[in-house]
Amino acid sequence: MVTADRVVNFSPGPGVLPLPVLEQIRADLPTLPGVGASALEVSHRGAWFEGVIAEAEASLRALLRIPDAHRVLFCQGGASMQFAMVPMNVAREGGADHVVTGSWGVRAAAEGATVGRARVAWTGEADRFVRAPADAELLGALDPAADYVYVTMNETIQGVEYPSTPALPDEVVLVADASSDFLSRPIDVARYGVLFAGAQKNAGPAGVTISIVRDDVLECIPDGLPTMLDYRTYAEHGSLYNTPPVFAIYVVMLVTRWLRDEIGGLDAMAERNEAKAALLYDVIDGHPHVYKGHAEPASRSRMNVTFRLPSSDDEAAFLAGATEEGMVELRGHRSVGGIRASIYNAMPVEGVERLADFMRRFAER
């Protein structure tokens, strides 16, 4: 739902939250029913939060069909901390094979190299990161001795997304940064040794990172890691070794409840996201003299629609016109420029329709 007093917010993160969730937060913020205190004040050791974190995990398990052999961990430090935490926990002498499809993959490989061996097995840098590799292409690039293969499921900056989980042999430990398409569609969680996501795109506010770690990975973690950088600390203490981001996890609980009860699960969410993205890509493809999409069609993101206009002056005029009509945060990342519309789960279809209409009118002018 788009309301008159709220802008249409295409921010890449923190992203827009569902309006019913915001309304529930507003109702609960001064005093939680039956608690007598705000969600910003309660103890993480109390009964209320025990119920919150249990429901958040249960909803994530139901939505994503997470197998019993995977732990759901609520970490801090964002996805950027996972760039180092993953190799510290998972890498051995074989190191990691990184598949680099955009800027966040570049950063993950660089950070991994500070911990151990981080080989770039495939990169789309030469073509300015416009696609994800085909499965056959990827298989031919991997080192069989690598301890795991690392992918970024959706590159927020370039708007490049894997259409599905890479089809790799079962023995390959697959690690994925799923931050910006997490909960946007069903995913075969069983196939991943580690799958992590910063919450601030689709799952909640900034401050909590959800890491889903398979038991066989936990069992092989080396001793001697710093306590808060060891996945076993979170698994053994129910993510309560230290004070977790209580408020952020509470919002994750509300978002997953919204996905479950109001949207109807991830199959329904995926259909909605496909339809929203198609509204914008249809305008881009229908006006090639004005708009040029960044990603190749087979790798186009449903979360971050990126495109360019003929000149920087045209882009400035586009951004100014959109702002006048109440649509904000459309400027592309400073490293690549252009336009970027982030249309995460909570972006209402009416907001995307407004942008598509503006794009058509701008092109005609």
Side-chain angles (χ1 to χ4, degrees), residues 19 38 215 329 344 355:
L19 190 56
S38 170
D215 283 343
E329 300 291 348
Y344 299 125
L355 177 58

Side-chain angles (χ1 to χ4, degrees), residues 206-236:
V208 62
T209 300
I210 299 155
S211 296
I212 303 170
V213 184
R214 203 166 57 208
D215 283 343
D216 64 311
V217 172
L218 287 171
E219 292 166 0
C220 294
I221 294 173
D223 292 330
L225 295 181
T227 302
M228 295 308 295
L229 295 175
D230 189 326
Y231 285 130
R232 294 172 299 185
T233 301
Y234 300 84
E236 293 167 6

